[in-house]
Amino acid sequence: PEDVGILGIHMVVPSTFVDQKEYEAFHGVPAGKYTIGLGQDKMGFCTDREDIHSLCMTALNGLVRKMGISYADIGRLDVGTETIVDKSKSVKSVLMKLFEESGNHDVEGLDTTNACYGGTAALFNAISWVESSAWDGRLAVVIAGDIAVYAEGSARPTGGAGAVAMLIGPNAPLVMERGLRASYMAHAYDFYKPNLSSEYPAVDGKLSIQCYLGALDSCYQTYCRKARKLSALTGDSSNDAVGINSFDAMVFHSPYGKLVEKSFARLVLNDFLSTPLERVPEVYPNLEKFAGVKLEETYFDRDVEKGFMSFSKQLFCRKTMPSLLLSNQVGNMYTASLYGGLVSYLISKPVDELGGKRVGFFSYGSGLASTMFSMKLVSGPKLAQLVSQLTYVHDSLARRTKVDPADYTAMMAAKEASYNKAPFLPTASTDSLFPGTFYLNEVDQMYRRTYGQV
Ligand code: ACO
C-alpha cells in the first residue's frame, strides 16, 4: 500500500477547566508564573466521572461516527497511554465493548506504555501493520489518551487531559514519510510512576527538561543525517540541506508551551552549530559569540537560550506557535499532547494553505523514549474533509465549564482518597459533559467498571 498515514482524526478534551491566572492567585505564586512562565492559560481536567477507558471510548466512538465507517471495518486498534487502571487488562480490551454489535472480534493490537511516548509507538505499530504482510485490507485505529495529574507542588499546574483517535490506512491525506525516523532511547529517572497506589508521578523537573532537550538534539541530528543519506540514495535533492527550513511546521510534545518555544530555538542552535564558521556572521548575525558552544553544556545556559529564542522568534511564530493551541488551553495530555499539537496546527489556517506542507514531529516520553519523524500533507478533498471535521474543537474549547481552583483541589483530594478503591460510586454530575461523552457509572466490589453515555 502507498501513502500510508492518517485518514481522519477525532479529538476529545475535558469539559471542565481551571483558569491558570486564578490558579496563580490560589497558589500565591507571582502573577504570570503559569501563564507567561510556563505558557499555560487553562488546564483541562476530568472529574471522577471520566477515566482512561471512558475517554478512549468517547474518542473511538466519535471517530467511527464522523468517518462513517463500521466497527467491522477496523482490523487493528492500538492504544498509547500511561494512565493505568489495571496492571493486566488493556484499555484496548475494554474498547472491544464498542465492537460487540458489529460482531467483529478480529482486531489486532493492544496498549503501549512509556510515559508520553506510547501514542507514537501505537501509531508506528498501526502504520507498520498496514505496510506489512499481516495486513488484511482493513483500517487501523490509534488512540492516544491520558489524564495528567500531579501532586500538589510546582508540577501541578502542568496537568491536563485528553484523547486523540486517528484512523490509519493507505492513500491518506497525512502521509508518514518513509525512511525518515530518528529515535533516541535511554534509561533515566526523570519522570516515572513507581508508586502503584498513587495516580501521581515521581518527577525530577529539572532533569526531565534536560532529558527532553538532550533527546531533541540527538533525534534532530540523526533525522538530518538520515535525510541527507536518503537524498543521496534516491537522488531526490529536497532533503539535501536539512535544517529547520526543510519543515513548514514543527510540532513538539508539549508538557507546557514555554518548553516548546525553547525547543524550537534549540533546533536553530543545532543548525547554527553545523554551519561552516565563515558563513555564521551572514546567516546568524550577532550570534557569532556562541560559535563553539557545546550542546550538552547549554541546557540551562540563559545567554544561549535568550540569544537563540529572540533570533528564532519569527520562525517560531510561523512554524510552531499554531500547534500550541490545545497545549495552551488544555495543558499536558501526555500521549495525546503531540497529536493535539497536530490538531491545533490543522485548525489554525485555511485548508488551502495546508496542502503540500511538510510537518516535523518530536515525540518525547520520560524514562526515556523519543523519536523525530515527519509527514506530508496532500492537497485535495480528503485533506479538506479531515480538517473540516476538526473545526468543532474551537467550539468545544469555548463551551467548557470553568471550575474554581479550590473546588479542583478538593476534587483532587477526594480522587486521591478513593484511588484504587472498590466498590466506588462517582459523585460528580454528568451535566457538564459534552454530548456523546462516555462516563463511569460505578466500580463494583470486583473492580469491574461499567459506563454510560451522555
Ligand atoms: N512572570 C513570568 N514568568 C515567571 C514568573 C512571573 N511572575 N515567575 C516565574 N516565571 C518563569 C520562570 O522564570 C521560569 O521560566 P524560565 O525557565 O524560562 O526561566 C518559569 O516561569 C517556570 O518557573 P520555575 O521557577 O522554573 O518553575 P518551577 O521550578 O516551579 O517548575 C517545572 C517548573 C520544573 C517545569 C515543573 O512545573 C514540573 O516539574 N513540571 C512537570 C515536569 C515536566 O513537564 N517536564 C518536561 C518534560 S517531561 C514531561 O513531558 C512530563
Side-chain angles (χ1 to χ4, degrees):
E2 286 299 305
D3 289 346
V4 178
I6 302 174
L7 298 159
I9 307 180
H10 190 70
M11 175 89 225
V12 175
V13 297
S15 59
T16 39
F17 73 92
V18 169
D19 181 273
Q20 294 276 19
K21 268 204 187 88
E22 294 179 7
Y23 213 18
E24 287 165 351
F26 179 75
H27 279 157
V29 300
K33 178 162 180 181
Y34 303 159
T35 45
I36 299 163
L38 296 175
Q40 298 302 116
D41 282 349
K42 289 172 182 162
M43 178 175 74
F45 70 91
C46 296
T47 67
D48 62 5
R49 278 293 177 184
E50 287 181 279
D51 62 11
I52 188 58
H53 296 160
S54 70
L55 260 186
C56 291
M57 281 195 261
T58 307
L60 174 61
N61 191 245
L63 181 75
V64 167
R65 284 185 46 196
K66 80 150 63 150
M67 296 307 292
I69 58 168
S70 140
Y71 279 95
D73 299 329
I74 300 169
R76 185 171 177 112
L77 171 59
D78 286 283
V79 177
T81 186
E82 58 165 304
T83 307
I84 308 294
V85 292
D86 192 299
K87 283 173 270 178
S88 170
K89 187 171 163 55
S90 61
V91 175
K92 186 301 186 67
S93 66
V94 177
L95 295 174
M96 288 311 295
K97 182 93 188 141
L98 300 185
F99 287 73
E100 271 175 13
E101 214 172 294
S102 74
N104 176 21
H105 293 268
D106 178 20
V107 187
E108 281 192 21
L110 284 167
D111 297 4
T112 321
T113 298
N114 190 89
C116 309
Y117 185 85
T120 297
L123 175 66
F124 289 175
N125 284 342
I127 287 187
S128 297
W129 177 72
V130 175
E131 291 180 347
S132 78
S133 63
W135 188 48
D136 63 5
R138 289 184 294 164
L139 299 161
V141 171
V142 171
I143 303 178
D146 272 303
I147 296 171
V149 284
Y150 290 92
E152 199 59 83
S154 65
R156 181 161 268 197
T158 63
V164 188
M166 297 175 271
L167 191 66
I168 308 297
N171 307 315
L174 271 58
V175 182
M176 180 74 89
E177 286 200 271
R178 291 187 179 185
L180 276 176
R181 274 189 211 166
S183 292
Y184 178 81
M185 308 249 172
H187 171 48
Y189 279 123
D190 60 328
F191 163 113
Y192 46 112
K193 292 179 177 165
N195 182 353
L196 298 176
S197 54
S198 166
E199 198 176 359
Y200 303 139
V203 194
D204 183 337
K206 191 167 180 213
L207 179 63
S208 74
I209 295 167
Q210 184 176 321
C211 287
Y212 179 106
L213 297 175
L216 175 70
D217 290 340
S218 183
C219 286
Y220 186 55
Q221 286 165 16
T222 308
Y223 181 97
C224 293
R225 202 173 60 239
K226 286 187 176 174
R228 272 184 231 107
K229 206 166 142 196
L230 195 70
S231 76
L233 274 175
T234 59
D236 170 5
S237 61
S238 65
N239 285 319
D240 271 357
V242 177
I244 196 64
N245 288 318
S246 315
F247 301 99
D248 298 296
M250 192 75 210
V251 182
F252 297 80
H253 164 57
S254 181
Y256 51 94
K258 189 71 168 291
L259 184 62
V260 171
E261 196 173 345
K262 291 182 185 190
S263 298
F264 185 88
R266 209 151 166 98
L267 297 187
V268 176
L269 169 64
N270 272 269
D271 284 354
F272 164 87
L273 290 175
S274 60
T275 303
L277 268 183
E278 64 277 11
R279 293 208 57 219
V280 163
E282 174 206 340
V283 190
Y284 300 95
N286 304 322
L287 293 174
E288 297 92 327
K289 59 175 182 270
F290 299 119
V293 295
K294 297 212 166 30
L295 279 172
E296 59 279 13
E297 288 168 8
T298 59
Y299 300 128
F300 301 103
D301 184 321
R302 292 281 175 197
D303 292 336
V304 171
E305 188 179 286
K306 229 173 117 200
F308 283 87
M309 277 176 87
S310 61
F311 178 80
S312 62
K313 181 96 191 163
Q314 275 187 329
L315 267 189
F316 165 77
C317 288
R318 216 166 61 231
K319 292 181 192 283
T320 293
M321 184 83 144
S323 63
L324 285 176
L325 174 73
L326 283 161
S327 165
N328 173 267
Q329 291 290 306
V330 181
N332 195 354
M333 302 180 272
Y334 289 162
T335 54
S337 161
L338 180 68
Y339 302 96
L342 170 62
V343 168
S344 303
Y345 171 68
L346 292 172
I347 60 174
S348 70
K349 46 179 82 20
V351 69
D352 51 3
E353 289 176 32
L354 291 170
K357 296 282 191 279
R358 180 194 214 183
V359 184
F361 294 84
F362 175 63
S363 181
Y364 178 82
S366 292
L368 66 84
S370 64
T371 300
M372 188 167 282
F373 59 98
S374 49
M375 290 192 199
K376 282 212 168 130
L377 311 192
V378 183
S379 306
K382 283 184 182 173
L383 182 63
Q385 190 186 6
L386 184 149
V387 174
S388 72
Q389 287 177 331
L390 276 175
T391 45
Y392 73 91
V393 171
H394 288 297
D395 293 338
S396 301
L397 291 176
R399 285 181 15 236
R400 294 178 295 170
T401 308
K402 187 174 78 164
V403 173
D404 193 80
D407 295 337
Y408 171 71
T409 306
M411 193 207 77
M412 290 302 289
K415 259 187 131 184
E416 255 172 64
S418 64
Y419 188 67
N420 270 347
K421 296 278 189 305
F424 171 68
L425 276 179
T427 53
S429 156
T430 56
D431 292 351
S432 68
L433 297 175
F434 294 134
T437 302
F438 284 83
Y439 61 85
L440 180 67
N441 263 331
E442 71 157 334
V443 184
D444 74 9
Q445 69 283 2
M446 290 279 287
Y447 290 89
R448 293 174 299 202
R449 291 167 186 248
T450 47
Y451 297 90
Q453 190 183 15
V454 184

